[in-house]
Amino acid sequence: MSVLVVGEALVEKIILERGFGCDVELIAGDTVPTLTSMAERGEPDIAPELWINAAKEVIERGVAENRLKVAAKVLSDGGIEGWYVPKHMVEKDSGLTSLAAVLKRPDLFPDAETPGKGRFYTCPAGWACQIVNDNLFKAYGLDKAGFVAFDPGSGEGLAGAIAKAHERNEPFFGYYFGPTAILGRYPLQRLSGMEHDPPTWECMSKPNCAKPSPNMYPPAEVIGLATARFAASNPEVFAFLQKVSWKNAEVSALLAWQEDK
């Protein structure tokens, strides 16, 4: 069988080979091309971890035409995105668990390049989340609160800022996502007081949203998928795939262990 290569696939490969005696080939592929190939060509047989927010229509059409079978919600609490501070800061000031509390203390997050201002770490240029963060920055009035948005330059730069904050007991206020090794390794406090608002979300995801409104990223639905042909001819394997589901924190912890080892 052929399986799309993602983190989930590496775990399932071991179980499929040792538990079911399958011959498993891992192949690389992006979400939309993989879905299209599965629906139209029946390859690969399994996509064990698909982030489907941008591809729901393709999946729904494939399921309706009996070309695809949804196996399970592999991340039971979904992929997460949010704004965080280190928990070592919360331990010193228990009130720093909400965005409102953080906005009152820009002095705790000094920006080295703009004296007197607090630093908010946004996403690197080119990431879709940078657009959302720009709009959230305006909606929650971070500028008026005394903060500036800081582009870390890359994903590595953003991760490095979090690592540095924990290893040197320094401040950090900014965006991150999971499951990731960073969230598995470093204790971060996701800020409260920011709720997802579906009616205004479309505008928040567009550059120069006319009326940015308070909002927050929704959980990303992450599923396992198989071709209908494979599911029908391998019912025991598909039954296993239907049971694969774990929490975001568990995957983050595993990714951190993987990096360490």
Side-chain angles (χ1 to χ4, degrees):
M1 73 179 68
S2 54
V3 182
L4 172 68
V5 175
V6 288
E8 185 82 33
L10 301 174
V11 176
E12 291 187 10
K13 180 178 186 292
I14 295 172
I15 298 172
L16 291 170
E17 289 179 335
R18 300 182 187 180
F20 293 89
C22 298
D23 181 13
V24 180
E25 176 191 5
L26 297 180
I27 60 173
D30 292 327
T31 299
V32 174
T34 296
L35 283 171
T36 302
S37 178
M38 290 177 73
E40 296 180 359
R41 299 171 50 204
E43 298 176 348
D45 299 303
I46 301 169
E49 182 187 311
L50 284 175
W51 295 59
I52 68 170
N53 281 0
K56 284 188 176 181
E57 292 183 4
V58 178
I59 294 173
E60 289 172 354
R61 184 168 62 250
V63 170
E65 295 174 353
N66 197 33
R67 296 172 181 265
L68 302 174
K69 290 282 188 182
V70 175
K73 193 173 182 179
V74 295
L75 285 179
S76 59
D77 49 354
I80 58 171
E81 297 175 87
W83 290 6
Y84 293 86
V85 297
K87 284 196 175 178
H88 66 73
M89 297 188 72
V90 177
E91 291 170 358
K92 293 179 182 178
D93 184 345
S94 59
L96 288 178
T97 58
S98 70
L99 177 62
V102 168
L103 295 187
K104 293 177 181 178
R105 297 300 309 272
D107 57 297
L108 294 178
F109 309 90
D111 182 83
E113 299 176 8
T114 314
K117 295 285 188 176
R119 173 176 290 187
F120 168 74
Y121 282 87
T122 187
C123 296
W127 288 23
C129 53
Q130 187 190 50
I131 296 172
V132 176
N133 282 338
D134 284 349
N135 287 322
L136 290 174
F137 191 94
K138 297 173 185 175
Y140 285 107
L142 270 72
D143 183 37
K144 294 180 181 178
F147 285 87
V148 293
F150 180 80
D151 183 342
S154 65
E156 292 77 12
L158 182 58
I162 295 173
K164 178 184 174 184
H166 282 83
E167 292 165 2
R168 300 185 183 182
N169 205 36
E170 293 179 350
F172 172 87
F173 166 41
Y175 166 93
Y176 214 66
F177 61 98
T180 52
I182 287 291
L183 290 189
R185 177 173 292 110
Y186 302 112
L188 292 168
Q189 174 71 50
R190 190 176 190 224
L191 295 176
S192 62
M194 307 176 74
E195 302 295 333
H196 179 59
D197 182 41
T200 62
W201 183 248
E202 184 178 356
C203 182
M204 298 300 287
S205 60
K206 294 181 178 180
N208 303 313
C209 173
K211 294 182 178 180
S213 303
N215 215 311
M216 184 36 63
Y217 296 89
E221 189 173 357
V222 186
I223 66 168
L225 197 70
T227 65
R229 181 179 61 188
F230 178 84
S233 58
N234 298 273
E236 291 185 356
V237 173
F238 187 69
F240 155 67
L241 297 175
Q242 289 178 300
K243 298 175 183 177
V244 177
S245 183
W246 45 358
K247 293 183 181 298
N248 204 290
E250 293 173 326
V251 180
S252 289
L254 178 63
L255 291 172
W257 176 88
Q258 180 190 29
E259 283 195 359
D260 291 340
K261 302 298 180 180

